[in-house]
Amino acid sequence: MAEGNKLLSAGWKYEGVTWTAPKTSKTPVYRLYNPNSGDHHYTTNPAEKSMLTGNGWKDEGIGWYSDDNKGVPVYRQYNKNAKTGSHNYTANLAENDMLVKNGWKAEGISWYGVK
């Protein structure tokens, strides 16, 4: 909650809850931080996590868990032209499709939330 309040005070807009993470599962979602750009990145892939930490990203541990029952898919998109904020994560398939139509690369389902 403190991080959310900090973002709101910095001018971010609250858009509501789109998915909820399970308390635990067999699939952690790793949170990484790039100190050069200020970006965060989230992945369930240990190899991707290792590649990024090998390139200077800071491992911030497990951010949350993915739903092993695959309830609510959360899609990831990539914008190669963005200097920061190059990844977007959404449970809204229409938002995913709109971003892809506008030049973002669809990277598929990143993790799953619960309903």
Side-chain angles (χ1 to χ4, degrees):
M1 192 69 168
E3 185 174 9
N5 289 335
K6 183 177 178 181
L7 292 172
L8 288 172
S9 68
W12 288 61
K13 180 182 175 194
Y14 179 71
E15 295 181 329
V17 176
T18 60
W19 58 273
T20 303
K23 295 204 182 294
T24 189
S25 77
K26 295 178 183 175
T27 311
V29 178
Y30 304 107
R31 177 178 159 135
L32 301 129
Y33 175 71
N34 184 329
N36 298 313
S37 68
D39 276 353
H40 279 93
H41 185 73
Y42 310 96
T43 184
T44 59
N45 185 325
E48 182 177 33
K49 178 183 102 166
S50 293
M51 182 272 299
L52 290 170
T53 56
N55 284 308
W57 289 69
K58 304 293 182 208
D59 181 356
E60 294 188 336
I62 296 171
W64 58 85
Y65 291 90
S66 179
D67 178 22
D68 291 334
N69 295 317
K70 299 184 177 181
V72 178
V74 177
Y75 305 95
R76 184 170 98 179
Q77 310 81 39
Y78 173 69
N79 182 342
K80 68 178 182 175
N81 298 314
K83 301 275 188 234
T84 61
S86 59
H87 281 92
N88 184 67
Y89 307 87
T90 183
N92 184 322
L93 185 58
E95 180 180 10
N96 175 81
D97 294 347
M98 181 273 304
L99 289 171
V100 171
K101 183 178 176 183
N102 285 288
W104 291 65
K105 179 184 175 196
E107 294 190 332
I109 296 170
S110 194
W111 64 81
Y112 293 88
V114 295
K115 295 183 183 204

